[in-house]
Amino acid sequence: GAVVSQHPSWVICKSGTSVKIECRSLDFQATTMFWYRQFPKQSLMLMATSNEGSKATYEQGVEKDKFLINHASLTLSTLTVTSAHPEDSSFYICSASKQDRTDTQYFGPGTRLTVL
Amino acid sequence: GNSVTQMEGPVTLSEEAFLTINCTYTATGYPSLFWYVQYPGEGLQLLLKATKADDKGSNKGFEATYRKETTSFHLEKGSVQVSDSAVYFCALRGTGNQFYFGTGTSLTVIP
């Protein structure tokens, strides 16, 4: 089956620092990956669509300069939370779909970010 | 725009009870509809899907029917098991392949 990994699985950082989260499709290529944010006991909120080789498309209300997305290859997308603050603490989840354009999205296990 | 409204939990049922989790949606066009499940400590997993009106998705005893007239995709299972305890998310897939999720419903099944 298709596997999506995320690294790190959890991270704690000081306020004002930047944190990079990686999302990898391990056994398939993904031209498009998605980044979500999940607050405790709440739903996943789509943040942005990451397109390989081009700029990411952000959902309304998501700060582009705050959440930098780079999709450098067909198997890797990164989300960098710049100048993190405590309100950025959350669970960040990525997903990817195979290039065969099926409906199936494969989700990563998520990254827990805590900003002190 | 696209949105999903899902029955709030938590839901607690006894083993072998009947389960219904309501889900309604708002969408432009004709979206595909999904139910995802998240077991404790794990990522989201696809449970079932339906891609057009009147389609019924089914898997592991769970079923959901795509009702265009009521814009609903309610999840049902006739007899739940302890192993079904998880958080269930209703979702729709937009035209750009993005997913929009409901708030999730936590299910606990007690023996």
Side-chain angles (χ1 to χ4, degrees), chain B:
Chain B
N2 296 318
S3 68
V4 175
T5 302
Q6 188 174 339
M7 183 178 87
E8 292 188 15
V11 174
T12 302
L13 294 174
S14 297
E15 205 165 22
E16 299 184 0
F18 184 85
L19 169 70
T20 299
I21 301 178
N22 290 336
C23 172
T24 57
Y25 68 91
T26 302
T28 53
Y30 302 96
S32 295
L33 302 174
F34 301 79
W35 277 98
Y36 279 84
V37 57
Q38 186 176 31
Y39 297 102
E42 299 184 16
L44 289 172
Q45 300 175 28
L46 177 64
L47 179 60
L48 54 83
K49 68 178 183 181
T51 58
K52 61 182 186 295
D54 299 326
D55 269 3
K56 177 186 284 188
S58 61
N59 185 27
K60 299 180 180 179
F62 291 90
E63 293 184 340
T65 301
Y66 190 143
R67 301 289 188 195
K68 185 181 176 184
E69 63 276 13
T70 55
T71 61
S72 65
F73 193 55
H74 304 322
L75 181 68
E76 295 181 338
K77 186 173 185 180
S79 176
V80 293
Q81 305 300 312
V82 173
S83 57
D84 294 327
S85 298
V87 181
Y88 293 82
F89 292 91
C90 183
L92 70 82
R93 172 177 171 264
T95 54
N97 211 30
Q98 311 96 322
F99 275 67
Y100 298 87
F101 288 86
T103 52
T105 301
S106 175
L107 170 66
T108 301
V109 180
I110 55 178

Side-chain angles (χ1 to χ4, degrees), chain A residues 96-98 101-106, chain B residues 34 36 46 49 99:
Chain A
S97 58
K98 290 185 177 181
R101 299 184 180 181
T102 63
D103 283 345
T104 305
Q105 288 277 319
Y106 298 94
Chain B
F34 301 79
Y36 279 84
L46 177 64
K49 68 178 183 181
F99 275 67

Side-chain angles (χ1 to χ4, degrees), chain A residues 61-75:
Chain A
V62 178
E63 300 177 59
K64 302 178 182 180
D65 296 332
K66 174 75 172 178
F67 300 99
L68 300 179
I69 292 172
N70 186 358
H71 196 151
S73 76
L74 288 172
T75 60

Side-chain angles (χ1 to χ4, degrees), chain A residues 58-89:
Chain A
Y58 290 82
E59 294 296 300
Q60 191 172 10
V62 178
E63 300 177 59
K64 302 178 182 180
D65 296 332
K66 174 75 172 178
F67 300 99
L68 300 179
I69 292 172
N70 186 358
H71 196 151
S73 76
L74 288 172
T75 60
L76 173 64
S77 175
T78 60
L79 168 68
T80 301
V81 183
T82 62
S83 186
H85 289 90
E87 58 266 30
D88 298 324
S89 298

Side-chain angles (χ1 to χ4, degrees), chain A:
Chain A
V3 178
V4 175
S5 70
Q6 284 184 238
H7 177 79
S9 56
W10 59 271
V11 56
I12 301 173
C13 69
K14 293 182 178 180
S15 186
T17 62
S18 295
V19 175
K20 180 185 286 187
I21 302 170
E22 295 184 347
C23 175
R24 293 181 185 274
S25 53
L26 298 184
D27 51 0
F28 67 98
Q29 294 183 328
T31 54
T32 303
M33 292 183 175
F34 301 91
W35 286 97
Y36 299 85
R37 184 173 178 177
Q38 185 179 25
F39 293 97
K41 299 184 180 180
Q42 294 188 32
S43 182
L44 284 74
M45 181 192 76
L46 178 65
M47 298 176 65
T49 303
S50 171
N51 302 297
E52 187 268 336
S54 64
K55 291 183 179 180
T57 304
Y58 290 82
E59 294 296 300
Q60 191 172 10
V62 178
E63 300 177 59
K64 302 178 182 180
D65 296 332
K66 174 75 172 178
F67 300 99
L68 300 179
I69 292 172
N70 186 358
H71 196 151
S73 76
L74 288 172
T75 60
L76 173 64
S77 175
T78 60
L79 168 68
T80 301
V81 183
T82 62
S83 186
H85 289 90
E87 58 266 30
D88 298 324
S89 298
S90 191
F91 197 55
Y92 293 87
I93 300 172
C94 72
S95 72
S97 58
K98 290 185 177 181
Q99 280 187 293
D100 60 9
R101 299 184 180 181
T102 63
D103 283 345
T104 305
Q105 288 277 319
Y106 298 94
F107 286 82
T111 297
R112 172 75 61 192
L113 170 63
T114 301
V115 184
L116 302 177

